[in-house]
Amino acid sequence: MANVQIAVAAVALFVLFPCFSRATDHTVGDTDQWKLATNYTTWASTKTFVVGDTLVFNYASSAHNVLEVTKSAYDSCQTSNPTQTHTGGTTSITLTTAGN
């Protein structure tokens, strides 16, 4: 009976206080960082992403930026109306919802 109570308490902690679960910072491209020659599909396929994780983009601000776009804009490769534009050279984006 005590083991069941401990298990229930542990589950309750993670449900009620998700900050106890460990989020991961993922540097996009790992040591390659943001380069045109990097295959980001391959890079992403080696990762597991969960809500609360952070994607860290490191890039030359004189040559690149990070645009956040809707899924439909991404699917149609449209960057003319981003939801967010980042230009600082290092951008961190926390994943707030599950999905592709």
Side-chain angles (χ1 to χ4, degrees):
M1 181 71 164
N3 288 340
V4 171
Q5 290 174 331
I6 291 170
V8 169
V11 169
L13 279 176
F14 284 105
V15 170
L16 296 174
F17 302 102
C19 58
F20 288 129
S21 59
R22 195 161 191 71
T24 301
D25 290 343
H26 300 278
T27 300
V28 177
D30 292 326
T31 57
D32 284 343
Q33 299 184 356
W34 191 256
K35 295 180 182 168
L36 294 177
T38 301
N39 184 326
Y40 295 102
T41 301
T42 300
W43 172 82
S45 72
T46 66
K47 310 292 181 211
T48 300
F49 302 101
V50 298
V51 172
D53 283 358
T54 300
L55 299 178
V56 180
F57 296 83
N58 294 310
Y59 53 96
S61 61
S62 60
H64 301 287
N65 57 25
V66 174
L67 302 179
E68 293 183 59
V69 296
T70 64
K71 179 163 179 5
S72 62
Y74 176 83
D75 290 343
S76 61
C77 201
Q78 295 296 316
T79 60
S80 59
N81 193 24
T83 59
Q84 294 285 327
T85 301
H86 307 276
T87 60
T90 299
T91 299
S92 297
I93 299 174
T94 301
L95 304 177
T96 59
T97 58
N100 292 330

